[in-house]
């Protein structure tokens, strides 16, 4: 895809972490003019080295861009960024919010921008950091459909699939449903590896065999390879992120009165992993926690 397919030429990216840096790289490859910002200066320097431009501040980024993509680690960060973008009162801007946040925070961000006539789309991403680097993400988009279609070529540059799933908030709801499964799959993959290795199976043979059968999954494929190598850093999706995400899933489930006993059973593994020093490691490190419990 090239920018010739869309009127959008300049894209701002706020948050250049694991996901944001991958997305900005794909946008540059697709021919977009990319301006970005992050609290970590090395992340901005990396963007510049790849051909992007550093934003002077949020106001400049908002005014220069036709579409702004946000990828942020917390509710506080998202609200601060949305206030900054709104303060610029940009004309003809669409904000694509890709972070995993509660629906209440997403709505507050939307309201901040709506006050100055800027549509915010709720567009969380399905996929790991490794998948982001491979342009293997799925966008779960919701909000104003006309704004979504304007921003679609931008999202198509960094995602394998761009899905519009309905009214604002349906994106994060879909993401949390998916994260319920991912969180459980992480834990079940670790448990399966621990069992197989303890019973004498070669980890590499276990991985290659199970992934071809009915027990395989995308998560088994992605996390299992890391478990074979015991390679947990750098993370494609941090343990600490899953602690946050599981709490958001539980919050959603409680709000609609749905019990999640299988998910609830996995949460202690994540908290034990954090306590054991794996907070910044990939979720594949759950294997270490399961094995530690076996050792007593």
């Amino acid at each position: 895809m090239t920018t010739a397919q869309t009127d959008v030429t300049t894209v701002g990216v706020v948050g250049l972490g694991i996901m944001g840096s991958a997305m900005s790289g794909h946008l540059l490859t697709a021919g977009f003019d990319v301006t970005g910002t992050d609290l970590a200066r090395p992340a901005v320097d990396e963007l510049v080295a790849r051909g992007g431009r550093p934003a002077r501040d949020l106001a400049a980024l908002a005014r220069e861009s036709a579409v702004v993509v946000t990828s942020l680690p917390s509710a506080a960060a998202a609200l601060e960024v949305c206030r900054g973008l709104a303060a610029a009162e940009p004309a003809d801007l669409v904000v694509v919010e890709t972070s995993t946040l509660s629906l209440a925070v997403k709505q507050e961000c939307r309201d901040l921008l709506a006050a100055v006539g800027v549509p915010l789309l709720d567009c969380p991403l399905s996929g790991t950091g490794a998948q982001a680097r491979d342009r293997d993400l799925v966008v779960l988009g919701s909000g104003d459909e006309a704004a979504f279609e304007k921003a679609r070529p931008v999202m198509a540059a960094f995602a394998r699939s761009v899905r519009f799933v309905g009214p604002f908030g349906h994106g994060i709801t879909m993401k949390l449903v998916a994260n319920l499964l991912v969180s459980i799959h992480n834990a079940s993959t670790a448990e399966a590896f621990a069992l197989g290795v303890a019973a004498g199976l070669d980890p590499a043979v276990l991985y290659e065999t199970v992934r071809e059968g009915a027990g395989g999954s995308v998560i088994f494929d992605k996390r299992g390879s890391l478990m074979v190598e015991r390679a947990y850093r750098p993370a494609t999706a941090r343990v600490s992120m899953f602690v946050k995400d599981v709490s958001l899933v539980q919050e959603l489930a409680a709000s609609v009165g749905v019990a999640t006993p299988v998910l609830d059973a996995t949460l202690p593994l994540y908290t034990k992993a954090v306590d054991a020093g794996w907070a910044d490691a990939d979720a594949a490190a759950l294997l270490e926690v399961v094995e530690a419990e076996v050792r007593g």
Side-chain angles (χ1 to χ4, degrees):
M1 98 133 250
T2 67
T3 56
Q5 294 173 269
T6 174
D7 293 334
V8 176
T9 57
T10 300
V11 179
V13 180
V14 183
L16 297 169
I18 293 173
M19 305 300 279
S21 62
M23 290 188 288
S24 62
H26 292 306
L27 289 166
L28 288 166
T29 298
F32 288 97
D33 171 36
V34 179
T35 180
T37 185
D38 193 280
L39 292 178
R41 185 66 205 186
V44 178
D45 292 341
E46 180 184 345
L47 173 68
V48 172
R50 291 182 298 177
R53 297 184 292 111
R56 294 191 306 277
D57 50 37
L58 282 175
L61 181 142
R63 293 186 182 118
E64 292 175 9
S65 305
V67 172
V68 168
V69 179
T70 59
S71 179
L72 301 163
S74 67
L79 290 168
E80 181 180 353
V81 166
C82 288
R83 290 188 190 100
L85 294 174
E89 298 187 6
D92 199 27
L93 174 67
V94 174
V95 178
V96 176
E97 212 305 297
T98 69
S99 317
T100 302
L101 306 165
S102 71
L103 177 56
V105 171
K106 294 262 188 175
Q107 289 171 329
E108 190 171 350
C109 287
R110 179 188 60 174
D111 292 345
L112 286 167
L113 287 160
V116 294
V118 174
L120 180 138
L121 299 169
D122 165 38
C123 296
L125 308 170
S126 179
T128 67
Q131 288 174 285
R133 291 193 295 272
D134 293 338
R135 195 174 158 270
D136 190 27
L137 297 173
V138 178
V139 176
L140 307 173
S142 64
D144 181 82
E145 193 164 3
F148 184 86
E149 291 306 321
K150 176 182 177 180
R152 181 185 286 274
V154 172
M155 294 181 278
F158 59 71
R160 166 174 56 84
S161 176
V162 179
R163 299 186 64 88
F164 181 74
V165 299
F168 188 91
H170 282 203
I172 190 60
T173 300
M174 191 75 74
K175 167 70 171 180
L176 294 179
V177 168
N179 275 7
L180 179 149
L181 291 166
V182 171
S183 301
I184 293 168
H185 287 173
N186 287 336
S188 63
T189 297
E191 191 171 288
F193 262 85
L195 174 61
V197 172
L201 294 179
D202 180 283
V205 174
L206 185 160
Y207 172 64
E208 293 296 341
T209 303
V210 172
R211 68 189 296 219
E212 290 186 354
S217 68
V218 171
I219 292 303
F220 185 90
D221 196 59
K222 302 298 182 184
R223 297 263 131 72
S225 61
L226 301 179
M227 292 179 187
V228 170
E229 301 296 331
R230 308 268 172 165
Y232 310 130
R233 295 183 176 95
T236 64
R238 298 183 184 93
V239 168
S240 58
M241 184 199 77
F242 280 100
V243 173
K244 179 197 77 170
D245 287 0
V246 169
S247 69
L248 290 175
V249 176
Q250 290 175 318
E251 178 183 312
L252 172 65
S255 73
V256 295
V258 173
T260 56
V262 180
L263 177 69
D264 297 347
T266 71
L267 185 55
L269 286 178
Y270 290 98
T271 56
K272 287 176 183 177
V274 170
D275 293 342
W278 298 108
D280 67 333
D282 193 89
L286 292 183
L287 174 60
E288 304 297 325
V289 177
V290 175
E291 289 186 334
E293 291 190 342
V294 171
R295 293 192 296 268

